[in-house]
Structures are given as structure tokens and as C-alpha cells.
Amino acid sequence: MSDSQSPKNNEVPTLLVVDSKGDELLCFLEQIVPLSDVEYVLLTPVDTPVSLFRLREDNDPELIKTIEKKEPILEVADVVLQEYDLKLIRSAVTLTITGELDEPEPEELEEKDFDEDSELYELLVNFKVKDDEYGLYIPLDPFFIVGKIIDGNATVLEGEEFDKIQPLIEAELEKRDF
């Protein structure tokens, strides 16, 4: 079901989760929630999740919700991130960044509230593609992924199945004071 990322006993177990397109994401296993003979799992990515926004001068940045893996915007982002010894990973569920990120000083933190579900983001890098400007932002709120384990394999809950199970998982976690 899971393997440990390092031999230390105090490490959180990790789990490789797969989405409906076959894309993978290595995650920390945060919680197991058994419901109706199915093990649902609450996960957080091992690598740093990032969100891609189109930046506009007069408006709030626009979240780009779906993007193809071979999109030219991501190829430019790859080049920009290499300057910081970072690598963009096209994972299941979200884009992630690997590499050493500098921890910002609290007073240097430029938080942006984009009114997208009132989440806060920190700008990682911005760049131009043709005449448009884009930014990769790190969500400052925890980034949870819900999955289920079947025959030892973890899959991402998506669409109607996620909509149906999410309230049940939330209710169970509230009972546990999570």
C-alpha cells in the first residue's frame, strides 16, 4: 500500500496516486478514512504544488485550470525554473516543483488573494509567452488530494465520485477532530 521515502521511522509514509489519465503524483499519506468497505485517503503532495495564472494589468490573475502537458507555456516555465535549480513536474491533479525552495521571510512574503475560493498564493516566478504574462504561484493553504485504495493501488477521486464522497470524508474527519 505505501512505502517510506526514507528509512527513518518518524517519516510520514508515501503513496503513489494515479488519476484517470494515468498521470502519477507521489504524496504523503495524511489520513485513512474507511467508508463502506473502501479505504479513502487524504494525501498531500511530496513536491511543492503550484498553480499557473495568466497575469493581467487591470484584473486579478486568471487561474488556468486545465493545461496540456506539452503546452508551450509550460516549456517556457521549465526554462525559467531551471535558472533557480527547480524543475516543473506535470503530475496528476496539479503541477509540482522539485528542488530547493528558499523559505521567504514573513515580511517579504507577497501574498495574493485572488478570490478563487479565497485561497492565498505566493508568487514563485513570472514569465512572458508571446504577449501574455504568466505566473507560477504556490498555494499557501494546505493542498489536499482525496483518493481511494483498491487492491493496494491508490487512485485520485474525481468528478461525481469525489462530489459524492467528499462530504462523507469531511464528516468522518470532523469526528476525529482533524
Side-chain angles (χ1 to χ4, degrees):
M1 178 176 96
S2 64
D3 61 10
S4 213
Q5 190 178 12
S6 97
K8 295 180 184 176
N9 290 335
N10 61 352
E11 291 283 325
V12 176
T14 58
L15 198 61
L16 189 63
V17 66
V18 179
D19 69 9
S20 60
K21 294 183 250 171
D23 294 329
E24 300 175 335
L25 179 63
L26 185 62
C27 293
F28 292 115
L29 176 61
E30 302 293 340
Q31 292 279 324
I32 298 174
V33 182
L35 295 171
S36 304
D37 298 327
V38 176
E39 277 191 334
Y40 293 96
V41 288
L42 191 61
L43 308 162
T44 55
V46 169
D47 294 323
T48 305
V50 292
S51 297
L52 179 65
F53 285 85
R54 180 176 290 115
L55 306 178
R56 301 204 168 140
E57 285 184 28
D58 296 338
N59 297 326
D60 281 341
E62 172 191 349
L63 177 64
I64 299 174
K65 293 182 181 181
T66 57
I67 190 161
E68 296 298 317
K69 287 184 174 188
K70 296 291 184 187
E71 187 75 33
I73 297 166
L74 296 182
E75 292 174 17
V76 173
D78 280 331
V79 172
V80 171
L81 289 169
Q82 287 174 13
E83 295 174 19
Y84 300 96
D85 294 325
L86 300 172
K87 183 175 181 185
L88 183 65
I89 308 295
R90 293 144 177 90
S91 311
V93 183
T94 186
L95 297 170
T96 58
I97 300 291
T98 62
E100 289 295 317
L101 289 172
D102 294 330
E103 289 293 323
E105 297 296 323
E107 59 274 1
E108 293 176 6
L109 196 59
E110 181 184 326
E111 293 179 3
K112 296 285 186 188
D113 184 351
F114 296 149
D115 295 327
E116 295 286 332
D117 306 328
S118 69
E119 292 185 51
L120 294 176
Y121 295 87
E122 174 193 352
L123 177 64
L124 178 62
V125 294
N126 61 328
F127 53 92
K128 282 195 169 227
V129 178
K130 297 183 182 174
D131 292 332
D132 292 323
E133 187 171 359
Y134 296 90
L136 286 174
Y137 285 81
I138 300 170
L140 296 178
D141 293 332
F143 189 91
F144 291 107
I145 297 164
V146 178
K148 68 179 176 181
I149 299 176
I150 298 176
D151 298 329
N153 297 312
T155 58
V156 175
L157 282 189
E158 300 174 278
E160 289 179 18
E161 185 179 16
F162 175 78
D163 294 339
K164 177 182 165 189
I165 296 299
Q166 180 188 11
L168 301 174
I169 291 173
E170 288 175 355
E172 180 63 30
L173 292 174
E174 282 180 24
K175 289 182 196 173
R176 299 180 188 183
D177 288 332
F178 179 68

